[in-house]
């Protein structure tokens, strides 16, 4: 399951060593686009919506039919296929990657993914505050206090705040409350999208707030990068870091779009 979760964050070729991963990616040729158009067709038996290329069903790497619960969700994947040019680049297809992972992996062991999100909540980004300078402390408070308040009032989860990087044990009741909330979102596609948002932001609480509509995806992304934005304001932005951040933001917004599409009716 750890390999499956890694595929959500390293979508093309996985390797723990980033240098080796980059080398593998450069050696792996992209497949040529072989189809004219992508479409969506509902399966009468299952009620799910399969993605088709020129009328032929698409299959996941595990050879399962690529089918999603709602038409709107399947259309997101079809649109990613339609957006490909001469080659099919998985880096540019974040919803497809989430769907493949949900079908091939998360559907068979949702509990492992749920537990991984819970581990993030036990060391959640928004619980660790700077002790200075004052401008950073104020930015963190402005961006994160509302999330902590929502977790307390909306989820019944009271989290403990800490200054600096010293670990603080969160109350078992708080983690338990998050677990109960996640259990109600255990559908594989939604859970996979939640895991993507959690791992990209470093915060289960931010991901859950976006899922619940308490934060927009843009607000959630900004909340996750308060420290980084403060440092950029002081020292400037590195070009390569900016490109990496843009790619991660695209994946974050795609995961949020998938969650919204999963909530849509089949008539969407």
């Amino acid at each position: 399951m750890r390999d499956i979760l890694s595929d959500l964050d390293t979508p093309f070729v996985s390797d723990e060593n980033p240098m080796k991963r980059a080398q593998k990616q450069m050696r792996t040729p992209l497949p040529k686009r072989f189809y004219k158009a992508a479409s969506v067709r509902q399966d009468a038996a299952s009620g799910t919506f399969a993605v088709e290329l020129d009328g032929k069903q698409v299959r996941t790497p595990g050879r399962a039919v690529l089918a999603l619960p709602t038409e709107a969700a399947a259309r997101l994947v079809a649109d990613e296929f339609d957006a490909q040019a001469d080659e099919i680049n998985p880096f540019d297809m974040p919803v497809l990657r989430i769907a493949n992972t949900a079908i091939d992996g998360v559907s068979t062991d949702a509990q492992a993914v749920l537990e991984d999100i819970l581990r993030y909540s036990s060391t959640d980004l928004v619980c660790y505050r700077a002790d200075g300078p004052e401008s950073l402390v104020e930015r963190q408070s402005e961006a994160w206090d509302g999330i902590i308040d929502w977790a307390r009032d909306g989820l019944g989860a009271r989290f403990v705040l800490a200054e600096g990087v010293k670990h603080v044990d969160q109350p078992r009741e708080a983690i338990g409350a998050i677990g109960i909330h996640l259990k109600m979102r255990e559908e594989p596609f939604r859970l996979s999208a939640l895991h993507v948002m959690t791992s990209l932001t470093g915060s289960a609480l931010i991901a859950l707030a976006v899922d619940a509509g308490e934060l927009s995806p843009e607000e959630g992304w900004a909340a996750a990068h308060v420290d980084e934005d403060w440092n950029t304001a002081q020292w400037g932005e590195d070009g390569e870091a900016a490109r990496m951040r843009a790619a991660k933001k695209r994946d974050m917004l795609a995961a949020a779009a998938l969650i919204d599409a999963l909530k849509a009716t089949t008539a969407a």
Side-chain angles (χ1 to χ4, degrees), residues 55-133:
K56 296 181 179 180
Q57 287 184 334
V58 180
R59 292 190 177 270
T60 69
R63 306 308 300 160
V65 173
L66 180 61
L68 292 89
T70 69
E71 183 179 3
R75 175 50 57 189
L76 289 177
V77 179
D79 288 346
E80 289 184 343
F81 274 108
D82 275 335
Q84 300 303 294
D86 296 331
E87 296 176 324
I88 305 172
N89 189 344
F91 282 113
D92 296 333
M93 307 176 77
V95 182
L96 172 64
R97 300 196 311 263
I98 297 172
N100 283 340
T101 303
I103 294 169
D104 287 347
V106 179
S107 62
T108 63
D109 194 1
Q111 183 63 27
V113 185
L114 188 152
E115 289 175 359
D116 202 60
I117 297 174
L118 282 179
R119 280 190 285 271
Y120 274 94
S121 71
S122 67
T123 57
D124 205 278
L125 168 73
V126 301
C127 295
Y128 288 85
R129 308 299 179 90
D131 54 8

Side-chain angles (χ1 to χ4, degrees), residues 172-188:
R172 293 178 62 184
E173 294 80 5
I175 305 303
I178 297 298
I180 292 171
H181 189 70
L182 283 170
K183 274 289 186 181
M184 295 186 289
R185 286 150 177 77
E186 206 172 17
E187 187 276 326

Side-chain angles (χ1 to χ4, degrees), residues 196-226:
V196 168
M197 292 198 295
T198 299
S199 60
L200 288 173
T201 61
S203 171
L205 296 183
I206 289 176
L208 289 173
V210 172
D211 173 78
E214 291 295 319
L215 294 175
S216 71
E218 289 282 356
E219 289 170 339
W221 183 255
H225 293 81
V226 170

Side-chain angles (χ1 to χ4, degrees), residues 231-244:
N231 282 318
T232 297
Q234 309 305 309
W235 313 109
E237 187 172 46
D238 174 75
E240 181 59 28
R243 285 188 290 272
M244 291 179 62

